[in-house]
């Protein structure tokens, strides 16, 4: 996953709260990087009367899980960095229920046993052990999350768009213009000569450097 910027998931969701989990080599073996799986059918669970009566306990638990604030990637509202279908069609024609969501790898939040931990460190993309999805709304009952494909990408390419349109119909993502152009304009603007660019640290050594900052 090292050369890629996004984790892409093509799913058909029932709208319940799901979280994507990535585990890699880390200084703490039980660390997991997490990101909410947002979809067009995503819904915020409304509190019942019983939930409202215990809101103080829930608030205390939330402050323990998120000492400062809820990270955008784990909140109930999709952050702008999440790429998903913007189709607002209410017609059933052309709608398959499938959709593709692109989650930025640098937006995943480092957690341990369900708690956000500091300091936050980047995912070691070249050492991914597993990718999983968890149901995290704590509501008993049936669920329905269908997964067609999970892959790493830099954006929707022309080679992928035919399959995307065939499976997702009107909810298909468009071709990413950066991928189409080979990022030539952006690369020219952000290019740094080898003499000016500092040598990047790799692997666990880089993680230790982030912790020491």
């Amino acid at each position: 996953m090292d050369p890629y910027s996004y984790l892409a998931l093509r799913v058909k969701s029932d709208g319940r709260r799901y979280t994507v989990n990535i585990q890699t080599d880390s200084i703490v073996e039980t660390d997991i990087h997490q990101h909410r799986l947002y979809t067009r059918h995503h819904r915020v669970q409304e509190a019942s009367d019983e939930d409202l009566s215990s809101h103080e306990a829930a608030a205390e638990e939330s402050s323990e899980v998120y000492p400062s604030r809820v990270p955008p990637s784990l909140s109930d509202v999709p952050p702008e960095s999440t790429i998903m279908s913007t189709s607002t069609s209410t017609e059933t024609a052309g709608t398959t229920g499938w959709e593709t969501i692109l989650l930025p790898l640098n937006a995943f939040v480092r957690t341990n046993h369900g708690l956000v931990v500091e300091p936050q460190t980047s995912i070691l993309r070249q050492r991914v052990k597993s990718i999983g999805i968890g149901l995290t709304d704590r509501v008993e009952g049936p669920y329905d999350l269908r997964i067609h494909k999970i892959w790493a990408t830099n954006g929707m390419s022309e080679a992928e768009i035919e399959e995307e349109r065939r499976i997702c119909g009107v909810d298909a993502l468009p071709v990413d213009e950066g991928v189409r152009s080979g990022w030539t304009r952006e690369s020219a603007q952000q290019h740094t000569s080898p003499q000016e660019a500092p040598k990047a640290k790799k692997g666990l050594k880089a993680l230790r450097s982030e912790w020491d900052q």
Side-chain angles (χ1 to χ4, degrees):
M1 295 176 66
D2 198 21
Y4 301 106
S5 299
Y6 297 97
L7 181 69
L9 302 97
R10 184 174 292 135
V11 301
K12 183 184 291 188
S13 174
D14 56 5
R16 294 185 64 176
R17 181 188 295 174
Y18 297 96
T19 302
V20 180
N21 307 312
I22 297 181
Q23 187 171 28
T24 69
D25 283 340
S26 179
I27 295 176
V28 181
E29 292 186 0
T30 52
D31 279 353
I32 293 178
H33 285 79
Q34 298 185 309
H35 197 298
R36 285 283 294 277
L37 176 58
Y38 302 101
T39 68
R40 293 183 64 247
H41 304 286
H42 171 74
R43 62 177 183 268
V44 177
Q45 183 70 32
E46 295 184 359
S48 64
D49 293 338
E50 293 181 358
D51 294 331
L52 292 175
S53 64
S54 59
H55 70 280
E56 292 183 357
E60 182 178 351
E61 179 182 359
S62 178
S63 65
E64 293 177 356
V65 176
Y66 311 117
S68 54
R69 63 183 180 87
V70 178
S73 301
L74 298 178
S75 68
D76 284 329
V77 180
E80 293 183 0
S81 59
T82 298
I83 299 178
M84 53 196 297
S85 173
T86 57
S87 172
T88 58
S89 174
T90 57
E91 299 179 2
T92 56
T95 300
T96 65
W98 291 100
E99 57 184 307
T100 300
I101 302 94
L102 305 186
L103 304 179
L105 290 170
N106 61 6
F108 277 71
V109 179
R110 176 177 169 245
T111 68
N112 195 290
H113 295 292
L115 303 178
V116 175
V117 293
E118 297 292 345
Q120 287 294 307
T121 54
S122 304
I123 294 177
L124 290 178
R125 303 182 190 185
Q126 69 274 30
R127 295 189 178 183
V128 173
K129 291 181 177 180
S130 65
I131 298 175
I133 299 177
L135 179 61
T136 55
D137 58 12
R138 299 185 179 183
V139 177
E140 294 185 1
Y143 66 92
D144 186 6
L145 178 67
R146 307 180 191 188
I147 303 171
H148 175 265
K149 184 179 180 181
I150 299 177
W151 73 101
T153 182
N154 285 317
M156 192 61 60
S157 67
E158 291 182 322
E160 298 171 316
I161 196 61
E162 182 179 351
E163 179 185 61
E164 172 74 3
R165 290 171 177 166
R166 175 172 54 84
I167 295 175
C168 298
V170 296
D171 296 325
L173 292 179
V175 173
D176 189 289
E177 290 302 321
V179 175
R180 186 200 300 270
S181 63
W183 306 99
T184 51
R185 181 177 301 178
E186 181 177 343
S187 298
Q189 293 175 346
Q190 298 183 353
H191 176 71
T192 305
S193 65
Q195 292 80 5
E196 297 174 350
K199 186 176 181 181
K201 296 180 180 179
K202 296 287 186 179
L204 294 178
K205 186 176 181 180
L207 279 181
R208 293 192 180 93
S209 298
E210 292 185 31
W211 278 35
D212 293 337
Q213 291 178 356

